[in-house]
Amino acid sequence: MKFFIRIATIAASFAMLAFALHLTTPISGAQNAAFHNAPASAKSAKNPFQGQDAEAGHSVYQNRCAACHGPAGEGAGNIPSLTAGKTQGASDGELFWYITKGDLNNGMPSWEGIPEKERWEIINFLRVLGGSKPGSPRVRLSAEEAVATAAEAPAPKAPFTDYRYEKPGVTRKITLADLPEPFATSSSGNGPQVVARPENAWLQVPAGFKVELYASGLNDPRLIRTAPNGDFFVAESRKDTILVFRGITADGKPQQTETFATDLHHPFGITFYPPGPNPQWVYVGNTDSVVRFPYKNGDMKATAPPEHIADIPGGSGHVTRDVQFSLDGKKMFVSVGSASNIDDPDTTPAEKNRADVLEFNPDGSAMRVFAYGIRNCVGMALNAKTGELWCSVNERDALGDNLVPDYITHVQEGGFYGWPWWYMGGHQDPRHKGKHPELQSKVITPDVILQPHNASLGMTFYDGKQFPKEYAGDIFAAEHGSWNKSVRVGYELIRVPLHQTGHATGEYEDFMTGFVVDNGHVWGRPVGVTVAPDGSLLVTDDGSKSIWRVSYTGK
Ligand code: HEC
């Protein structure tokens, strides 16, 4: 609905422009080879965002273009395909010119109303839709091509892996010495096609554990967090809503479900303040602010409108914001991902105070940067044993299948984690050659190096009593799954064993797998994970739009 209203407004304003153009543009003579008669200046215009994370344009494309051109640019009826032919033959500049002006008489709206950057980003994404161009990171596999790719692909070389070899209980360890050179392979556009869970498909966990479906039919379940009284708070980011689930019935379902709050702004992070058994507030990380609601144990609906606590950098790019308090309740941490794949913050104002963990007083005052160069810390958790803040981080794309690894790490105050000029091990990103030599030695090696492109999202420390003793204090993290890898990886819940020390050794373990149908199709994508009062784990999944429960039965 919203979508069509917007189109209508843009279309109406373009109608007037088109009229003016019509009067002043001479009728062109013979057809030339230019795309929709684009002027020569359009053809040669350079895409300032060429080579950057094509995924940035994905959501804009879905919101603005997919309704007509199809989710994969396939076209329909008299709406042209964008994956081949004319569009892929046009230069970026010609496409920019055409998209900006539209062709209202023929049903193509003008997009001059959306920011220039977004128009360029859509074009990057159109290239992904269009398939490979030699030497470019824009390689898009259709679901069918992806299936064939995996059929032909050799087994991955350890310690790297892919979905075909993920198996509950397998331990993995990646070290800096394992990292390939940048561009050792080409870079793939291999986003999944999400399909309904096939009959008989189920999740696999180590022996002694079992998986049940706790809740289904949700809209967009993302972060999940357990309140001190044992209720489960779930952010439905796209719906701007926070839900609350209470209890687990004998057949493994919620006893009660409520909507805690609506009309938020892409909420993600949820945390309770002050820390301890009797919170007075629940804090929520919107994409551009932190707000809080008065809260007492047992509330399932907000009793007052949200109070604005702090503005945080919003805008395009990574939209999730997690919020956590230090164990003593004196510091509030907010994780803010980058606006882009690898834009230089020195020259890109939109990157200011992004790719950081920010620190505030609990009332939202005195913002400072706690740690920087963390491209996208989606999930945060406090380690009760050490008091340290930990992050689950998405690293950058388009350097090849096995670069740059995602990671999970404790976060050092003032620490620099590399982005965008460097990456782990003091490696310079080739796209920022020669910049910031003084930072090379400062790049911190993260505690646990994960598979590149895994998309590591929510994390939690296991403080339950149900699992065997060796799980006490371990980390569980949700790996949403890759798009930038030729054979997909991730799409699993992992365990990071801390061996009761509070510290990681660098290893992690596949824990719950089975979301992938084949290299082109998946039926689920884990996002958040939390520990229930009975010691089971609840895992949100925005692919099948449900919540899974993993418990230990010993059988
Ligand atoms: C309301 C439906 C609609 C929407 C929304 C729409 N388009 Fe179009 N688009 C069309 C139609 C219809 C045409 C064919 C116009 C013609 O016949 O010349 C077209 C043509 C195009 C072409 C030229 C293709 C060719 O082969 O000549 C490109 C490129 C394009 N659109 C890109 C986009 C992008 C990018 C977006 C989103 C920002 C978008 N369109 C949104 C309807 C739409």
Side-chain angles (χ1 to χ4, degrees):
M1 197 58 174
K2 235 190 224 159
F3 173 75
F4 283 104
I5 292 166
R6 192 179 298 131
I7 298 291
T9 331
I10 293 168
S13 62
F14 181 67
M16 298 175 72
L17 182 70
F19 182 63
L21 280 176
H22 184 74
L23 291 180
T24 53
T25 311
I27 293 159
S28 66
Q31 286 292 313
N32 60 30
F35 180 73
H36 289 269
N37 292 322
S41 59
K43 190 176 174 98
S44 56
K46 285 266 169 308
N47 180 345
F49 303 98
Q50 163 137 27
Q52 290 184 9
D53 190 355
E55 199 58 14
H58 192 159
S59 64
V60 200
Y61 176 85
Q62 291 306 335
N63 293 336
R64 311 285 186 165
C65 322
C68 290
H69 290 282
E74 64 273 26
N78 63 349
I79 296 179
S81 155
L82 303 179
T83 65
K86 270 160 81 179
T87 295
Q88 296 300 326
S91 73
D92 284 11
E94 286 174 316
L95 289 173
F96 185 85
W97 170 85
Y98 179 77
I99 291 167
T100 302
K101 120 186 142 53
D103 183 354
L104 198 69
N105 289 336
N106 291 307
M108 165 66 180
S110 154
W111 298 96
E112 68 174 348
I114 65 175
E116 266 194 47
K117 178 156 190 271
E118 289 188 12
R119 277 174 266 158
W120 288 116
E121 284 173 343
I122 292 177
I123 290 165
N124 283 342
F125 184 69
L126 290 184
R127 297 305 185 192
V128 166
L129 289 177
S132 68
K133 275 197 166 182
S136 99
R138 305 155 165 181
V139 178
R140 163 76 186 192
L141 304 174
S142 68
E144 289 65 35
E145 286 163 339
V147 173
T149 300
E152 289 158 16
K157 223 173 126 220
F160 300 109
T161 192
D162 62 52
Y163 79 94
R164 299 170 299 173
Y165 297 87
E166 288 169 0
K167 194 164 174 282
V170 175
T171 298
R172 307 182 184 280
K173 182 170 182 173
I174 302 175
T175 67
L176 293 176
D178 299 313
L179 303 190
E181 289 298 308
F183 307 116
T185 66
S186 65
S187 184
S188 289
N190 186 16
Q193 193 170 325
V194 179
V195 295
R197 178 165 56 86
E199 234 176 283
N200 303 329
W202 201 250
L203 295 165
Q204 283 91 55
V205 283
F209 290 87
K210 82 167 178 201
V211 180
E212 292 163 291
L213 182 60
Y214 176 69
S216 58
L218 303 182
N219 183 285
D220 181 34
R222 299 278 289 172
L223 182 133
I224 182 166
R225 210 146 262 158
T226 307
N229 79 331
D231 288 347
F232 311 114
F233 278 61
V234 174
E236 287 204 303
S237 301
R238 281 175 207 273
K239 213 181 162 199
D240 297 331
T241 293
I242 303 283
L243 300 175
V244 183
F245 295 85
R246 174 167 295 168
I248 301 170
T249 63
D251 57 353
K253 303 291 178 224
Q255 281 159 343
Q256 227 179 315
T257 306
E258 273 294 353
T259 299
F260 184 81
T262 58
D263 298 317
L264 290 154
H265 192 201
H266 209 93
F268 188 79
I270 302 169
T271 194
F272 300 86
Y273 179 81
N278 289 304
Q280 292 160 25
W281 303 93
V282 52
Y283 280 62
V284 172
N286 283 322
T287 194
D288 52 3
S289 66
V290 176
V291 297
R292 69 179 183 186
F293 295 90
Y295 173 81
K296 57 182 188 322
N297 286 334
D299 287 353
M300 291 188 86
K301 277 182 166 302
T303 53
E307 176 189 350
H308 178 272
I309 285 295
D311 285 325
I312 48 175
S316 64
H318 297 117
V319 291
T320 64
R321 310 287 182 255
D322 203 358
V323 185
Q324 286 285 358
F325 285 97
S326 57
L327 293 184
D328 62 9
K330 290 193 174 141
K331 294 175 173 180
M332 175 174 79
F333 302 109
V334 181
S335 58
V336 182
S338 66
S340 65
N341 186 30
I342 48 142
D343 287 357
D344 189 339
D346 291 346
T347 51
T348 313
E351 292 293 357
K352 190 170 162 52
N353 291 333
R354 298 192 62 164
D356 290 336
V357 173
L358 303 176
E359 183 195 316
F360 301 76
N361 297 335
D363 65 2
S365 61
M367 185 191 97
R368 55 247 180 226
V369 173
F370 180 74
Y372 65 115
I374 302 190
R375 181 172 174 273
N376 189 19
C377 164
V378 178
M380 290 196 294
L382 255 288
N383 182 333
K385 192 154 187 144
T386 63
E388 292 158 340
L389 177 74
W390 285 61
C391 267
S392 160
V393 180
N394 289 196
E395 254 292 351
R396 70 205 78 184
D397 296 310
L399 289 182
D401 273 353
N402 289 328
L403 273 185
V404 169
D406 283 3
Y407 57 88
I408 290 176
T409 194
H410 83 284
V411 183
Q412 299 178 35
E413 180 157 13
F416 173 58
Y417 290 79
W419 188 91
W421 309 287
W422 301 91
Y423 61 87
M424 55 185 73
H427 295 284
Q428 185 135 49
D429 190 305
R431 298 162 292 193
H432 290 297
K433 231 183 182 147
K435 293 184 189 169
H436 287 292
E438 80 290 359
L439 289 177
Q440 179 174 24
S441 61
K442 296 214 160 84
V443 184
I444 294 171
T445 300
D447 298 340
V448 187
I449 301 178
L450 303 173
Q451 301 294 322
H453 312 299
N454 240 18
S456 195
L457 304 188
M459 66 174 283
T460 194
F461 288 91
Y462 186 74
D463 58 3
K465 298 274 181 289
Q466 185 187 89
F467 289 8
K469 271 209 302 290
E470 60 267 29
Y471 286 80
D474 286 355
I475 292 167
F476 286 95
E479 309 301 300
H480 199 226
S482 66
W483 70 269
N484 191 221
K485 191 164 180 296
S486 55
V487 181
R488 68 185 65 261
V489 70
Y491 303 88
E492 62 170 342
L493 192 71
I494 61 168
R495 167 196 181 198
V496 178
L498 302 189
H499 306 286
Q500 286 74 59
T501 63
H503 305 287
T505 60
E507 336 150 83
Y508 79 90
E509 203 179 284
D510 297 337
F511 184 77
M512 179 167 77
T513 64
F515 289 109
V516 180
V517 177
D518 58 40
N519 197 31
H521 308 85
V522 309
W523 61 265
R525 306 193 74 180
V527 180
V529 52
T530 196
V531 184
D534 72 349
S536 57
L537 287 180
L538 292 183
V539 181
T540 54
D541 160 8
D542 68 356
S544 73
K545 317 239 181 260
S546 48
I547 304 176
W548 300 94
R549 175 166 173 245
V550 186
S551 39
Y552 184 73
T553 62
K555 285 179 208 129

